Amino acid sequence: MARLVTHAGVPDDADVRARWDALVAADPLGTFFHSARYLELWAKVLGTRATVRVHEVLEGDETIGFVPVALSLEGSATGPLEVVRFLGGDQVTDYLGPVAMPEHRLTVARTYLAQLAEDGDWDEFVAGGLVVGSGWDEHWSTAAGELGLAGLPPVPEDVCPRIDLTGGYGAYLDRLPSKLRHELRRKARKLARDAGDYRLVEVPVAEHDEALTRFFEMNVVLDDEKGRFFASDEMRTWFRALAEALGPEGTLRIHELHVGGTPGAACVSIVHGGEWGLYNSAFDPVLAMLAPGMVIVAELIEVAAGEGCTVFDLLRGDEPYKYRFGPVNRELVSASFQRA
């Protein structure tokens, strides 16, 4: 019979973290966003107002799952609610939720919800960021129904467009529709012709702070949601914390596209486990008509393939530019349940 061990906060015990890391690596849907290192950093920088709990699910002596959550007070039409969400927050964390092998996911959902149902300090459990086809949405609904928790059917939350790099860059280009291949080459030629020669530069770790300042400046001049996002001191602190913690080991990368000798676009990437994630990007609005943002992403796809990555993940959001690279959507849904 499965049982639950609850850790207050993200545990620093080396054995617990080793078990967690092993499950992230084994889980077909495990990503760096599910790792103890990433979620610990999120809790320290952005999750300071939440109560963090990491639930370890065991069958006998074997750890079969981890369910990291955060409990926080949120406003609603009926007043403040105590809401449990998966640790990480969907503003900056592209994939959320538990880690477990497919054959153990229903047991993990049942075991965690059984304890949650006994607790009295919550009003709503939001199971967000669930990958369609993973079984998690059905498992949470099944477990909630068995326990008498009221729930709403899963609803679409977002998509993560993903590019298959299996077989390398040449194989990717062969799979890309000829119209898209032509369009990418045309944009690269036009940028070079009208703005000067360009080259992709990986920013050295020692220069990450300066590069992030340029990255923020490119974004904040935009009069839109993204501009407001990067005008926030909290978000700037988050990106700098990520770079400081993950840059030296190469998990976080910053690239710039130097056009005519000056930065015309920039990308922040998360590279882990054979997948290259495009975490965020920016471009100089002066060059907007020449699409430097498209050119830098095309360059990064080739770099990722050259490093042996099998997936280039454009991460959350269905912005039109992403579909010019031939990705396939990974759909995310969210389910919510109320305390009986």
Side-chain angles (χ1 to χ4, degrees):
M1 183 173 179
R3 58 191 175 90
L4 206 67
V5 174
T6 298
H7 306 278
V10 177
D12 57 9
D13 183 279
D15 291 336
V16 175
R17 290 173 81 110
R19 295 194 294 272
W20 190 342
D21 290 342
L23 264 182
V24 171
D27 185 341
L29 295 176
T31 71
F32 189 73
F33 296 109
H34 294 97
S35 71
R37 292 186 60 233
Y38 174 85
L39 292 175
E40 179 181 47
L41 189 63
W42 183 90
K44 287 180 177 178
V45 178
L46 297 178
T48 56
R49 292 184 293 275
T51 300
V52 174
R53 296 286 183 268
V54 175
H55 304 278
E56 184 176 3
V57 183
L58 298 97
E59 271 190 341
D61 295 328
E62 179 190 2
T63 296
I64 62 170
F66 280 90
V67 186
V69 298
L71 174 68
S72 58
L73 192 65
E74 300 182 14
S76 74
T78 58
L81 295 177
E82 292 281 357
V83 180
V84 180
R85 296 182 184 272
F86 293 133
L87 192 60
D90 59 12
Q91 261 198 317
V92 298
T93 307
D94 292 84
Y95 293 113
L96 297 161
V99 287
M101 297 298 287
E103 64 269 23
H104 293 139
R105 289 174 184 165
L106 179 56
T107 299
V108 169
R110 281 173 167 156
T111 306
Y112 171 66
L113 277 187
Q115 175 167 305
L116 188 65
E118 293 180 0
D119 294 339
D121 62 346
W122 65 283
D123 298 297
E124 184 177 16
F125 168 49
V126 179
L130 306 175
V131 175
V132 171
S134 67
W136 278 119
D137 49 348
E138 295 94 339
H139 296 333
W140 289 115
S141 295
T142 297
E146 293 170 351
L147 293 163
L149 301 178
L152 298 174
V155 296
E157 180 179 284
D158 215 330
V159 296
C160 292
R162 291 161 58 87
I163 297 168
D164 179 12
L165 294 182
T166 304
Y169 186 65
Y172 159 67
L173 289 178
D174 288 343
R175 289 189 292 267
L176 199 63
S178 60
K179 182 179 179 180
L180 294 182
R181 283 200 307 271
H182 173 74
E183 181 67 11
L184 293 177
R185 290 168 181 155
R186 188 186 69 82
K187 288 186 182 301
R189 289 195 300 266
K190 182 175 175 59
L191 177 64
R193 184 189 68 222
D194 295 350
D197 291 339
Y198 66 82
R199 65 187 180 97
L200 183 69
V201 176
E202 181 170 354
V203 178
V205 172
E207 298 174 18
H208 274 185
D209 199 60
E210 297 171 17
L212 283 174
T213 296
R214 294 191 293 270
F215 178 82
F216 299 147
E217 290 172 350
M218 287 183 191
N219 277 310
V220 295
V221 297
L222 303 174
D223 185 22
D224 59 11
E225 184 178 351
K226 189 173 183 181
R228 291 185 288 275
F229 179 87
F230 280 106
S232 161
D233 288 339
E234 186 177 56
M235 287 302 109
R236 293 185 181 207
T237 298
W238 168 246
F239 272 73
R240 293 193 191 281
L242 270 183
E244 182 179 355
L246 307 178
E249 66 187 42
T251 299
L252 181 135
R253 317 270 185 92
I254 301 176
H255 289 81
E256 293 180 336
L257 190 74
H258 288 196
V259 183
T262 61
C267 289
V268 178
S269 304
I270 300 289
V271 182
H272 178 77
E275 297 197 359
W276 189 296
L278 186 66
Y279 193 56
N280 218 297
S281 60
F283 61 86
D284 183 346
V286 173
L287 298 174
M289 297 300 292
L290 299 176
M294 290 288 294
V295 175
I296 191 174
V297 174
E299 293 282 321
L300 284 179
I301 291 171
E302 185 171 3
V303 170
E307 289 195 13
C309 292
T310 56
V311 172
F312 190 94
D313 196 328
L314 291 148
L315 298 176
R316 284 194 183 219
D318 60 356
E319 295 90 337
Y321 84 88
K322 295 182 178 181
Y323 297 94
R324 297 174 188 171
F325 299 100
V328 174
N329 279 345
R330 172 180 275 180
E331 298 179 11
L332 306 177
V333 296
S334 177
S336 62
F337 309 93
Q338 290 74 45
R339 183 163 55 86

